[in-house]
Amino acid sequence: MKFTNRMIYFIGVLLCSVFLFTGCSTKQSADYRTFHKQTGNTNINNSDAMHRATMRPYDVFGVRYYPFVANVGDVFDGIASWYGPDFHSKKTSNGEIYNMYAMTAAHKTLPMNTVVRVDNLDNGRSTIVRINDRGPFVAGRIIDLSNKAAHEIDMIRKGTAKVKVTVLGYNGLVDDKNAPSVSTVEKKPKVEQIDVVEDVIVTTDVNTNVGVPIPNQNSTKPVVGKGKFSIQVGAFSLQTGALKTVNDYKIKFPSRKIEYSENGGIYRVYIRGFSSYEDGQKFKENNSLNSAIVVQN
C-alpha cells in the first residue's frame, strides 16, 4: 500500500493522540495502593475513592503538582504557614470539613492522612498533625498548619516559620505495615531514623529510676493540674492505647494530672500543670522524656 504525505501526517497525529490520552508522560498518578489500608477509624475520610482522586496530578495558578509517596522517616525543610477563620467549616481536599482547632495541615503533594511531625527550627517546639488538605500554594512554603497546630509551635504572630517536616506514617497511623519501604519508592530524600511502636504515633518511655517516687495509698499529696503548658507523651490512633498510657503515667507521676484528649482522630496523652515552656522542658529533661513535646494549652 502506498502512503502519501497526507496519510503519513494523519497517522502521526493519531499516534500522538494515543500517547497523550493513555498517559505516556514521565509523570503519572502515584499508586495509592502502596500505602493505603482501612483502619476502622471513622473520624477521618480514608476511602479508596478519595485517595484515587487526591493522588492525581493537578494544576493551581498555572503550576502542575505531582502527589507522591514518601518513605516513613523522610525529612523535608522549608517554610510553614497557617490558615484559620477564612477556611473554617469549609471542605478540605479529602472531603472532610476544615476545623481550625483540629490538629491537621495542608500539603501540596503528600498523600491524604499522612501523619507528620513539624519542628519549628526557630524555637525548637514541635507538633504532630495529619494531612487532610492541599496547599500552601506559595513558593517556598511546604506546609500549611491549622490554627491549633500553629499555636503549638508558637508561630501565630509571626505567620510563618522555618520548619523540619518528618513523615511518621500513613492512614492516620504510625508504624503502618503497608507504608512503603525505601525499595518501593523512587524518590529517596534524606532519611532520619525514628523509633515507633505498634498503634502509636509517638510515645516516650519513662525512666523508672528518676522522677517522683510512688507514694503509699494513704498519701494525700495534691495532684498538680493547673498551668498554661503541658507535656505530650503519646499520640495514638486507638483509644485503648491512650487509656493504658494514662494509667501507666499516673503510677509514675502521681502528683501530676495525666489525661488524654481526642482531636482529628488522634488520641493524645498529656502531663498537665506547667507554668511555662521552660518549666515543662526542665521536667521533661529531668525525667528522660526525650521524645515528648512541650505544648501550650
Side-chain angles (χ1 to χ4, degrees), residues 49-285:
M50 181 275 294
H51 282 294
R52 279 197 302 272
T54 58
M55 291 303 288
R56 295 170 183 163
Y58 64 97
D59 297 276
V60 175
F61 302 136
V63 178
R64 170 146 284 208
Y65 297 94
Y66 298 91
F68 73 98
V69 184
N71 297 304
V72 172
D74 279 355
V75 175
F76 306 92
D77 295 324
I79 302 297
S81 51
W82 67 274
Y83 65 131
D86 291 343
F87 298 89
H88 187 65
S89 297
K90 296 181 180 179
K91 264 194 175 182
T92 64
S93 297
N94 77 339
E96 296 177 1
I97 301 300
Y98 175 62
N99 179 0
M100 70 182 202
Y101 304 110
M103 297 301 294
T104 58
H107 193 280
K108 292 188 282 285
T109 51
L110 284 175
M112 293 295 141
N113 299 324
T114 300
V115 177
V116 298
R117 173 170 173 151
V118 181
D119 293 279
N120 187 333
L121 300 180
D122 295 329
N123 59 24
R125 300 192 182 186
S126 302
T127 190
I128 296 172
V129 294
R130 176 177 61 89
I131 305 299
N132 73 341
D133 207 357
R134 287 290 182 227
F137 300 109
V138 178
R141 297 186 187 179
I142 62 171
I143 195 166
D144 222 0
L145 299 175
S146 67
N147 179 274
K148 173 69 174 177
H151 269 292
E152 288 209 350
I153 63 172
D154 193 21
M155 58 165 281
I156 289 291
R157 290 184 180 180
K158 189 176 178 182
T160 60
K162 295 179 181 179
V163 297
K164 176 179 72 174
V165 176
T166 305
V167 177
L168 300 182
Y170 296 94
N171 306 300
L173 301 170
V174 152
D175 199 26
D176 184 344
K177 302 305 181 184
N178 286 347
S181 63
V182 173
S183 61
T184 62
V185 182
E186 293 181 2
K187 184 177 178 67
K188 300 180 178 67
K190 178 183 175 183
V191 175
E192 178 181 286
Q193 187 64 37
I194 56 173
D195 296 323
V196 295
V197 297
E198 190 167 3
D199 291 331
V200 182
I201 288 176
V202 65
T203 188
T204 302
D205 294 329
V206 178
N207 186 338
T208 56
N209 296 320
V210 296
V212 182
I214 300 174
N216 59 46
Q217 293 182 348
N218 296 323
S219 173
T220 58
K221 189 174 182 179
V223 174
V224 179
K226 295 182 178 180
K228 296 181 179 180
F229 291 83
S230 300
I231 298 177
Q232 179 183 310
V233 293
F236 302 80
S237 61
L238 300 177
Q239 186 180 27
T240 52
L243 288 171
K244 182 180 184 303
T245 302
V246 167
N247 291 332
D248 290 344
Y249 275 79
K250 281 183 176 179
I251 294 173
K252 304 300 182 184
F253 304 112
S255 65
R256 289 284 174 181
K257 182 178 180 181
I258 316 293
E259 63 182 10
Y260 77 88
S261 66
E262 185 275 331
N263 190 305
I266 299 174
Y267 298 87
R268 291 174 169 81
V269 178
Y270 299 98
I271 303 175
R272 302 292 193 186
F274 299 95
S275 59
S276 66
Y277 179 80
E278 292 72 22
D279 186 24
Q281 281 291 112
K282 185 176 180 181
F283 183 91
K284 170 185 161 181
E285 293 168 3

